[in-house]
Amino acid sequence: MEQVDIFKALANQTRLQMLEWLKEPEINFPGQKEYGYDQGICVGQLQAKANLTQSTVSEYLSILQRAGFVKATRKGQWTYYKRDEAAFERLSKLISTTL
Amino acid sequence: MEQVDIFKALANQTRLQMLEWLKEPEINFPGQKEYGYDQGICVGQLQAKANLTQSTVSEYLSILQRAGFVKATRKGQWTYYKRDEAAFERLSKLISTTL
DNA sequence: CAAATATATCGACTTTTCCCGATATGTAGA
DNA sequence: TCTACATATCGGGAAAAGTCGATATATTTG
């Protein structure tokens, strides 16, 4: 993944928002309480909150995943996405040193 | 300036490259040696290195300036651009804390 | 002030991104 | 296996970004 693609992934308001939501799943996705938050948040929950079509949200999550910001876990018919905090730390360091 | 616009400014290969060049002006712009590097690098030097038209380079620098990554100084008929390191530090912190 | 030079802005065209609906794929349960 | 549901992928139209050439706006110098 090129450096520029990392920034392209962040160059969209909705995608930024989704990353912020995923930072506090308990607060932003109370609907998933009964299934727990360890595995992440499923696409449907994110779609409901983003108010975009299912295909768009799926695509956006894929972009974020390719850029490394989220990790996906398939469980049954659901795919759960959660942040990969290490990616943010890496990017933070890259910006303060290399860039 | 919105957060997303900061990332949009970085979501372009040429603009990223220009920022990298400006990190080591002495190395990347030897042609400007006689005028010194304190004030920054003028548009013409950047254009020559970027191999794009003057208008494009000017536009790109303006985008980087609006996002806060570079500062412009007009001196005579030249406009010199230099990095604002504080902006990178701010962004780095934002990514490791807020984002 | 006229000419020369550096940069900025404008208008247009091309490429990329955004975002959708339709459809395909994967999984669970009757 | 048939159906239902969650997600992924595909194809396309609209909007935004990339990039150019032409032109406008400084600024310096003769």
Side-chain angles (χ1 to χ4, degrees):
Chain A
M1 176 71 40
E2 296 279 347
Q3 227 176 70
V4 67
D5 295 307
I6 309 258
F7 290 116
K8 281 185 184 179
L10 299 178
N12 174 276
Q13 186 60 60
T14 304
R15 287 195 295 269
L16 279 182
Q17 185 124 72
M18 294 199 296
L19 289 174
E20 283 172 34
W21 288 337
L22 289 174
K23 195 165 188 183
E24 300 181 312
E26 298 86 350
I27 291 171
N28 295 303
F29 303 96
Q32 194 164 304
K33 193 164 154 200
E34 36 193 326
Y35 306 102
Y37 296 101
D38 289 359
Q39 51 203 333
I41 300 296
C42 71
V43 181
Q45 297 273 330
L46 280 154
Q47 190 211 333
K49 206 166 171 68
N51 205 29
L52 289 171
T53 62
Q54 186 270 321
S55 60
T56 299
V57 171
S58 178
E59 165 79 3
Y60 280 8
L61 286 167
S62 164
I63 289 170
L64 290 174
Q65 186 189 17
R66 279 197 299 275
F69 293 114
V70 298
K71 282 196 180 325
T73 314
R74 181 108 202 192
K75 276 250 171 68
Q77 44 191 341
W78 292 275
T79 308
Y80 295 94
Y81 286 91
K82 66 183 310 188
R83 287 168 57 109
D84 184 350
E85 298 298 342
F88 293 90
E89 281 311 310
R90 275 197 305 275
L91 182 58
S92 170
K93 276 213 171 49
L94 180 136
I95 288 172
S96 70
T97 61
T98 309
L99 198 73
Chain B
M1 176 70 41
E2 296 280 346
Q3 228 176 70
V4 67
D5 294 307
I6 309 258
F7 290 117
K8 281 185 184 179
L10 298 178
N12 174 277
Q13 186 60 60
T14 303
R15 288 195 294 270
L16 279 182
Q17 184 126 71
M18 293 199 296
L19 289 174
E20 282 172 34
W21 288 337
L22 287 174
K23 195 164 189 184
E24 300 182 310
E26 298 85 349
I27 291 170
N28 294 302
F29 302 96
Q32 194 166 303
K33 194 163 153 202
E34 36 193 327
Y35 306 102
Y37 296 100
D38 290 359
Q39 50 204 332
I41 299 296
C42 71
V43 181
Q45 298 272 329
L46 280 153
Q47 189 210 334
K49 207 167 169 66
N51 205 28
L52 290 171
T53 61
Q54 186 270 319
S55 60
T56 299
V57 172
S58 179
E59 165 79 2
Y60 280 9
L61 286 167
S62 165
I63 289 171
L64 290 174
Q65 186 189 18
R66 279 197 297 275
F69 293 115
V70 297
K71 282 197 181 324
T73 313
R74 181 109 200 191
K75 277 248 171 70
Q77 45 190 337
W78 291 275
T79 308
Y80 294 94
Y81 286 89
K82 67 184 306 187
R83 287 167 59 107
D84 184 352
E85 299 298 341
F88 294 90
E89 282 310 311
R90 275 197 305 276
L91 182 59
S92 170
K93 278 213 169 52
L94 181 137
I95 288 173
S96 70
T97 61
T98 308
L99 198 74

